[in-house]
Amino acid sequence: MPGSILGSAVRRREDPRLVTGAGRYVDDLAPEGTLHAVFARSPLAHARLRRVDVSAAAAVPGVVAALTAADLDLPPRLSFAVVPEVFARPPLAVDVVRFVGEAVAVVVGESRSAAVDGAEAVSADYDPLPVVATPEQAAAEGADLLFPEHGTNLAFQAAYGEDQDALDGAEITVRARFVNQRLAPVPLEADAFLAHPDGNRLRVWASTQSPFQVRDFVADCLGMAEADVRLVAPDVGGGFGAKGTSYPEQVVVAALARRLGRPVRWAQTRSENFVAMAHGRAQVQDVEVGAKRNGELVGLRARVLADAGAYPGLGALLPFFTGQMLSGVYRTPRIDYAARVYATNTTPVGAYRGAGRPEATALLERAMDLLAGELALDPAEVRRRNLIPPDRFPLQTVAGATYDSGEYERALDRALELSGYHGLRAEQERRRAAGERRVLGIGLSSYVEITALGSPTEFGSVEAGPDGTFTVLAGTASHGQGHETAYAQIVADTLDVPLDSVRVVEGDTGLVPRGDGTGGSRSLQLAGSSILVAARALLERARRVAADALEASPDDVVPLGGGRLGVRGVPGSGLTWAELAGAVQQRGESQLREEHDIVADASFPFGTHVAVAEVDLDTGEARLVRHIAVDDCGSQVNPLLVQGQVHGGIAQGAAQALFEEVVYDDAGNPLTTSLLDYGVPTANELPRFETASTVTPSPNNPLGAKGIGEAGTIGSTPAVQNAVLDALAHLGVRHLDMPLTPERIWRAVSGR
C-alpha cells in the first residue's frame, strides 16, 4: 500500500551499536567474582584414557579447582535423538577419547591466565587405539570401531527409490565422484558461556542461536527444572548453524558455577574453536545422471558416504536433507538415492550454513555441467530444457519434497541477462583462440532449497505500552540477521506507528515464553508471520477499545495516522495508542497485548547464480572476478537485509569452492587449526557481488516470505566451481574437487 514500510530498504537499527563497539557479547560480561574455566583437551584422536592427574594443575597459583569427569559425575547426552543412544557424549571424556580436542579435564582460575597455566599442567596417560579418520575407513570391512558395543561405525542411513532402475531409457549417462569437503564455521565470535548461580536458580549467558534448546539441555543435565534456568543470548558474533546446538562445555561450566557458588565464564580460543566447534559438509558423492540426447533428464542415482565425526548427532541426519532436495529445479522422473553416515575419529559434524541442502545443489549442478559437456550443449540450455514450469506448483517431487511456488526460468533468464552471458562466452572463445594464459570460465548454478524445515512453529507477541511504545517478543535469536529491524517494520506497518516506537526482545528465556531459535532460514517466515498475526489481532482489539470509548462501531474505527485510532471521516477524533493502553488498564483488563504461535509448512526459495572466474594457467591461481546472483525469497520485508544475507552467503559459498577445507592426517591429527592454515578469504579475494531478485510469494505463511539466510551459499558454491572448471574444459580437465587451490589446478593443467 502507498507509504508502506514493508518492502522498504531500511537500514539496520542494530548497526550503530555493533559498528561502534557498543555491542555486548558473552565475553564482555563479568559479574563480580567471576572465575574463568579452561579445558584440557586430548592430543590424540583415539586412545584409552588410563589416568587424568589434575594435582599439579590444582597447585598452580590462582587456580580454584581442577576437575575430571569423575569429579563432576555428569551424564552423557545425545545431541540429536535420531542416532542410537550409544553415541551419547560425556561432557568430559570417560575411559576413551575419540577425537583430538575432546575435553578430559577442566581448570577454573581467578584469572584466565591462571586457568590456562593450570590446564597446561594437567597430565594424562593415553593408551593409543587405532584411528579411523575418514568415512571410507569407517565403512570398510573389519574397520576398527569407535563404539565396539554398537558393532559398527554406521550411525544413520537413508534411502529411497532403490526399487527402480533410475537410468532406464537413458541414451547418455555421466558418472562422477564428488567430494564435498569438510568445513569449519569460523564465526568471528568463538563459542562462549557464562553461568551465574542465584540460590537454587541459575542464570546463564550463551553465544547461541537456540536459547531454549541450550537452556533445556543445561537444565536436563543438571537435574534442574527448566524454569529455574534463565538463558540470555546477548549480541552473538555469528553462528552459521554451528551455534544452533548445545555443547558439553556449557554443561560443565554451569555445573562448576553451582559447585563453586560463583560465576564461571568460558571463552574459546580460535585454535580451540577449530577442533571443538562442530564442522560442516563432509560428504563423498557417487553420482550417475541419465538423459536423452536432447538433454532431457531421465533419472539420477546417487550414493552418499558421509562423516558424522566422533559423536554423531545432528550432522548424521543432514544427508537426509541432501536426498530430499536432489530433484533441484528440474523435472527429474526418477531418483535412486542412498546415504550412509559413519562415526570417525574427528571433530563431530553438525549444521553449517545450508545444512545438507548445499551438498545436494553442489552434486546436481556439477552433474548438469558434466552432462552439458557430454552433449556438447551450453550449460544454460541443458538447464532450461529441464526446468520445472511455474504452472506445476505446488509440486510433490520424487525426492519427497512439496515445493510451494517457483518461477525458475525467470530467475535463469534474469541472471543470464545481468551477466551479459553471451558476451562472456564470446570473450572466453577469444582468449582461447589467442592462446592467452589467463583463461576465462563461466559457471552456472540454478538451485532450490528448503527453509524453516524441522520445526514448523514459532512464537511472537506484540504489546502496546502506556508510554506509546510497543514491545515485540520473538522466540528466535539474532546473530546478525537484522531481526530488530525487520520485526519492527512489520509492527510499524501493521499498526501505522513510527518504527522507532517498536522495541524487539528475543534471546532471553526469562522474558520470552518459548521459541525454537534461529536456524534453517526460518526467522522471518515463522517468527515474522507470528508477529504479523499478533499485530493484526492487537489492532482489532484496539479498534474495539476505541469504539467503546468513542461510542462508535468497531467497523468505523481506523488508523488516522500519527499513532491514533479514530472514527473514519472524523480526523479530529481518536485516541493515541498510549491512551488506549491506559484505558485498558483502567478497566482492569489484561494488557493490550496479543500473541501467536504460527504453524506453517516449509518454503522453497530458489534462484540462479552466474560466476565468472579467471585462471592463470602458469600458476594455477583461480580468481573469482564477477558473481551475479538472482535469488527469490518470496515477499521481502526489507530488501537491504535480503541483500546483506545474500552477500554473506556468496562469500562463504565461494570460500568453499576456492579456499576452505578442514584437513586431517591418517592419525586423525587436525592440520588446519588456525587462520594461518585454514583459508578464510578476505574482501581482497572476492569481487563486488551483483545481486537482484525475483519475487514469487509463498502461499505457506501470511507474509508470503521464504528464507534467504542460506540461499547465497547454496547457489554460489557450484557456480564458482563450475566457472573454474569451465575455464579448464578446453584442456580436457573434466572435474576437480573443492577447494580449487592453485596447486590442485596447476597439477591438473600440467599433468603432474
Side-chain angles (χ1 to χ4, degrees):
M1 66 183 187
S4 172
I5 198 172
L6 288 187
S8 299
V10 177
R11 289 182 179 272
R12 299 194 336 167
R13 302 198 304 172
E14 301 91 326
D15 285 350
R17 179 181 80 249
L18 299 176
V19 301
T20 59
R24 298 286 286 172
Y25 300 85
V26 172
D27 205 34
D28 294 322
L29 308 176
E32 185 177 353
T34 296
L35 300 170
H36 300 263
V38 172
F39 290 86
R41 299 182 180 274
S42 171
L44 298 181
H46 200 196
R48 295 198 184 281
L49 189 58
R50 297 298 186 187
R51 181 183 61 90
V52 181
D53 186 352
V54 295
S55 57
V60 171
V63 167
V64 175
L67 306 168
T68 67
D71 299 315
L72 291 175
D73 192 27
L74 294 170
R77 284 288 189 272
L78 283 177
S79 63
F80 201 69
V82 166
V83 298
E85 184 68 31
V86 68
F87 295 119
R89 179 177 175 179
L92 295 174
V94 178
D95 299 329
V96 177
V97 292
R98 295 183 173 89
F99 69 99
V100 171
E102 184 168 6
V104 299
V106 62
V107 177
V108 183
E110 294 285 357
S111 66
R112 187 169 294 168
S113 58
V116 168
D117 290 343
E120 291 179 351
V122 172
S123 65
D125 291 339
Y126 298 98
D127 185 1
L129 293 169
V131 171
V132 288
T134 68
E136 294 94 336
Q137 293 172 352
E141 185 176 352
D144 293 293
L145 303 180
L146 274 73
F147 297 85
E149 61 272 33
H150 186 49
T152 176
N153 290 318
L154 183 66
F156 181 79
Q157 55 187 329
Y160 64 86
E162 293 182 291
D163 58 346
Q164 61 184 334
D165 182 359
L167 306 181
D168 182 38
E171 296 172 344
I172 188 167
T173 302
V174 295
R175 296 177 175 84
R177 167 170 278 210
F178 306 141
V179 176
N180 204 288
Q181 78 272 31
R182 178 186 282 247
L183 301 176
V186 200
L188 280 176
E189 180 198 21
D191 212 353
F193 192 82
L194 168 65
H196 191 327
D198 181 13
N200 293 326
R201 298 170 61 84
L202 189 66
R203 185 168 185 181
V204 295
W205 293 262
S207 181
T208 182
Q209 301 169 221
S210 301
F212 286 91
Q213 180 182 345
V214 174
R215 180 204 67 177
D216 295 351
F217 180 71
V218 169
D220 179 53
C221 289
L222 299 184
M224 299 177 66
E226 293 172 359
D228 289 337
V229 179
R230 179 180 179 180
L231 188 142
V232 176
D235 289 320
V236 174
F240 312 122
K243 292 181 183 175
T245 187
S246 48
Y247 286 94
E249 291 92 344
Q250 295 165 336
V251 173
V252 172
V253 172
L256 290 169
R258 297 187 78 201
R259 181 187 184 106
L260 300 173
R262 290 175 62 180
V264 179
R265 181 171 62 180
W266 165 69
Q268 274 181 341
T269 65
R270 179 57 63 189
S271 291
E272 189 179 26
N273 178 260
F274 271 106
V275 298
M277 181 170 278
H279 292 162
R281 309 290 189 257
Q283 289 188 8
V284 179
Q285 306 164 334
D286 287 294
V287 185
E288 298 173 274
V289 175
K292 302 289 187 181
R293 294 202 178 275
N294 65 1
E296 179 184 343
L297 290 175
V298 167
L300 177 143
R301 180 183 294 129
R303 297 292 180 265
V304 167
L305 193 64
D307 189 346
Y311 293 95
L314 174 59
L317 179 67
L318 299 183
F320 170 82
F321 298 122
T322 302
Q324 187 180 27
M325 296 310 298
L326 268 189
S327 286
V329 295
Y330 307 115
R331 300 185 303 273
T332 311
R334 295 186 298 272
I335 296 178
D336 173 2
Y337 175 76
R340 293 173 295 139
V341 189
Y342 288 88
T344 64
N345 292 118
T346 60
T347 296
V349 172
Y352 173 66
R353 202 167 192 167
R357 293 105 71 202
E359 296 89 325
T361 301
L363 180 162
L364 189 57
E365 290 303 289
R366 187 73 204 105
M368 291 298 285
D369 260 32
L370 292 176
L371 179 61
E374 290 292 324
L375 294 168
L377 290 172
D378 187 279
E381 182 59 27
V382 171
R383 286 169 171 82
R384 188 185 304 280
R385 294 182 185 185
N386 289 283
L387 291 174
I388 300 167
D391 60 2
R392 294 283 302 277
F393 297 94
L395 173 70
Q396 176 81 40
T397 73
V398 296
T402 302
Y403 293 176
D404 52 351
S405 61
E407 292 193 49
Y408 301 153
E409 190 168 11
R410 184 158 68 111
L412 173 63
D413 288 341
R414 183 71 172 135
L416 296 178
E417 174 192 357
L418 291 173
S419 66
Y421 185 75
H422 297 297
L424 290 171
R425 287 292 178 202
E427 172 63 14
Q428 180 184 57
E429 288 305 315
R430 186 199 67 75
R431 294 193 192 189
R432 288 176 176 177
E436 294 188 12
R437 300 298 289 171
R438 186 174 292 277
V439 292
L440 190 72
I442 306 102
L444 292 174
S445 170
S446 291
Y447 76 93
V448 60
E449 71 135 333
I450 180 173
T451 59
L453 69 166
S455 174
T457 184
E458 190 51 87
F459 170 83
S461 71
V462 185
E463 178 181 341
D467 59 353
T469 65
F470 301 84
T471 300
V472 175
L473 303 184
T476 49
S478 180
H479 50 285
Q481 292 82 1
H483 291 177
E484 291 180 38
T485 305
Y487 295 166
Q489 283 182 257
I490 293 170
V491 173
D493 183 81
T494 305
L495 303 182
D496 191 20
V497 297
L499 186 68
D500 290 342
S501 69
V502 184
R503 182 175 70 103
V504 175
V505 176
E506 58 179 348
D508 187 335
T509 66
L511 299 177
V512 181
R514 53 193 173 275
D516 279 355
T518 296
S521 302
R522 67 192 301 274
S523 295
L524 190 69
Q525 61 193 302
L526 293 183
S529 289
S530 283
I531 291 164
L532 175 66
V533 174
R536 288 173 175 173
L538 183 67
L539 178 59
E540 289 306 306
R541 184 177 171 200
R543 289 174 64 199
R544 293 193 298 270
V545 173
D548 287 346
L550 299 173
E551 299 181 348
S553 168
D555 294 338
D556 293 330
V557 175
V558 295
L560 298 176
R564 298 174 66 85
L565 295 181
V567 178
R568 181 186 289 108
V570 187
S573 71
L575 299 171
T576 66
W577 278 96
E579 291 169 335
L580 291 168
V584 167
Q585 288 184 346
Q586 288 174 5
R587 286 156 47 167
E589 298 179 7
S590 60
Q591 297 167 310
L592 193 54
R593 176 183 182 275
E594 296 291 334
E595 65 179 47
H596 186 71
D597 291 270
I598 194 169
V599 178
D601 290 335
S603 69
F604 292 82
F606 62 91
T608 293
H609 287 209
V610 179
V612 184
E614 288 185 339
V615 179
D616 187 324
L617 297 180
D618 294 322
T619 65
E621 180 190 20
R623 191 165 187 91
L624 183 63
V625 295
R626 287 183 68 195
H627 194 97
I628 301 91
V630 177
D631 300 285
D632 194 313
C633 61
S635 302
Q636 299 183 19
V637 168
N638 187 331
L640 192 63
L641 298 182
V642 170
Q643 187 181 54
Q645 288 292 293
V646 171
H647 279 212
I650 294 171
Q652 286 187 288
Q656 176 175 8
L658 297 176
F659 305 109
E660 296 188 21
E661 182 178 23
V662 172
V663 179
Y664 288 88
D665 67 16
D666 291 340
N669 296 308
L671 305 180
T672 46
T673 58
S674 77
L675 292 173
L676 295 174
D677 312 308
Y678 188 84
V680 175
T682 68
N684 291 329
E685 286 77 46
L686 298 171
R688 175 180 171 270
F689 303 140
E690 304 165 51
T691 61
S693 300
T694 60
V695 177
T696 309
S698 173
N700 291 349
N701 62 76
L703 276 172
K706 303 182 180 187
I708 192 61
E710 294 155 300
T713 300
I714 292 168
S716 62
T717 301
V720 176
Q721 185 182 21
N722 283 341
V724 174
L725 292 168
D726 179 65
L728 305 176
H730 67 297
L731 302 176
V733 177
R734 183 173 182 266
H735 178 74
L736 295 173
D737 283 320
M738 303 179 290
L740 296 167
T741 60
E743 179 182 1
R744 184 167 285 175
I745 294 171
W746 180 80
R747 288 187 181 278
V749 171
S750 64
R752 300 187 184 184

